[in-house]
Amino acid sequence: MRYRLAAFDIDGTLVGPSGTLSPATIEAVEGLAGMGVSVAAATARPYELALPTLAPLAGAVTAVIAAAGADIRRASGEPIAQVTLPPEAAGALARLCDAHNWRAVAGTAEGACRRMPTPEARGPAATVASLAEVDLSRTYVIAPFTSPADPAFASLEALVQETGLRGERALTSSGREIVAVTHADAGKGPALRRLCEALGVEPAATAAFGDTEVDLPMIELAGLGVAMGDAPPEVQAAADLVTGTAEEDGVATAIARIWGKA
């Protein structure tokens, strides 16, 4: 089958620790677009913070599944489907970040913002002392930099459970752990389904690429699931194809195998 839509996780899939696209990946993805395949990038990052990484693919990317699936837009920025956090829950998350002095990133209708930016932070985002200063009435994601190793992590887990939200652990391209908190209806799997509906493509005619557990719903929904070579065993087991790592240009290798020389 000539798959009509290809969805790629960004961190750990399209890009490795360098955080930049390799020439081989750029050539392969541009070749796909040249064949008429729609290309989507999927990430926990707010939309604005995905764009710098995707800039070398300008013209090849059809859509961006941002904010861990809560904010789906065409590459032009035109919204396709969006689900926002309840404002009261977003406010509680902002206060929790302050209470534990967590670094955090938020994606809102007004743009992206950062609390205590990391040294390697890239992309356009306002720096704020507290997310409570931000208009959180339409917030797609709040992602504190924390993990189960943090004694305060249990407070985040409790808040997510009490508010009925979705909390997904993820890694940035630099290897930092975050928890992307979104509406319960978000997630990469539901987002890929919504994108398919918007583009008029059956899920069976899609290929999805990923490297962590948060990519599993997308990989399982797609007609062809591709796991990176360093993906956890359960992700590789769920995939139809296992390719090399991002550092090994695994995306380019898989594209050549699935579509021929794109």
Side-chain angles (χ1 to χ4, degrees):
M1 176 183 289
R2 288 283 176 170
Y3 297 96
R4 298 173 52 204
L5 169 64
F8 300 93
D9 166 61
I10 294 181
D11 295 303
T13 301
L14 283 177
V15 303
S18 70
T20 59
L21 292 155
S22 72
T25 298
I26 293 170
E27 181 180 4
V29 174
E30 287 181 337
L32 269 190
M35 293 171 58
V37 177
S38 296
V39 173
T43 180
R45 306 184 201 182
Y47 171 79
E48 294 84 2
L49 301 189
L51 298 183
T53 299
L54 299 175
L57 294 174
V61 175
T62 302
V64 179
I65 295 171
D71 182 13
I72 312 167
R73 307 190 199 188
R74 297 188 185 276
S76 63
E78 177 189 353
I80 293 176
Q82 296 168 319
V83 288
T84 58
L85 288 165
E88 61 276 14
L93 280 164
R95 293 189 294 273
L96 197 63
C97 290
D98 288 345
H100 300 298
N101 205 29
W102 285 329
R103 298 180 188 272
V105 175
T108 77
E110 302 301 318
C113 56
R114 296 187 179 100
R115 183 186 191 279
M116 299 171 57
T118 61
E120 69 275 5
R122 295 182 296 272
T127 297
V128 297
S130 168
L131 295 180
E133 301 173 4
V134 179
D135 179 1
L136 299 175
S137 59
R138 285 191 56 80
T139 302
Y140 309 117
V141 64
I142 294 178
F145 286 63
T146 184
S147 73
D150 182 347
F153 185 77
S155 63
L156 177 60
E157 287 187 308
L159 178 59
V160 168
Q161 184 173 4
E162 290 166 5
T163 52
L165 301 178
R166 176 189 290 267
E168 293 186 339
R169 293 173 58 195
L171 291 176
T172 67
S173 58
S174 61
R176 293 179 183 269
E177 284 197 75
I178 64 169
V179 180
V181 182
T182 61
H183 191 284
D185 290 340
K188 290 185 178 180
L192 179 58
R193 187 177 295 279
R194 291 180 177 117
L195 179 60
C196 286
E197 291 172 356
L199 299 180
V201 176
E202 290 293 326
T206 68
F209 296 65
D211 72 308
T212 64
E213 292 88 344
V214 297
D215 301 316
L216 264 177
M218 187 169 69
I219 287 172
E220 291 172 341
L221 174 67
L224 181 72
V226 182
M228 305 304 287
D230 52 359
E234 59 268 33
V235 177
Q236 295 193 24
D240 303 292
L241 172 66
V242 178
T243 187
T245 67
E247 292 177 283
E248 296 167 339
D249 291 322
V251 163
T253 301
I255 287 174
R257 180 171 174 182
I258 299 165
W259 283 275
K261 187 172 177 56

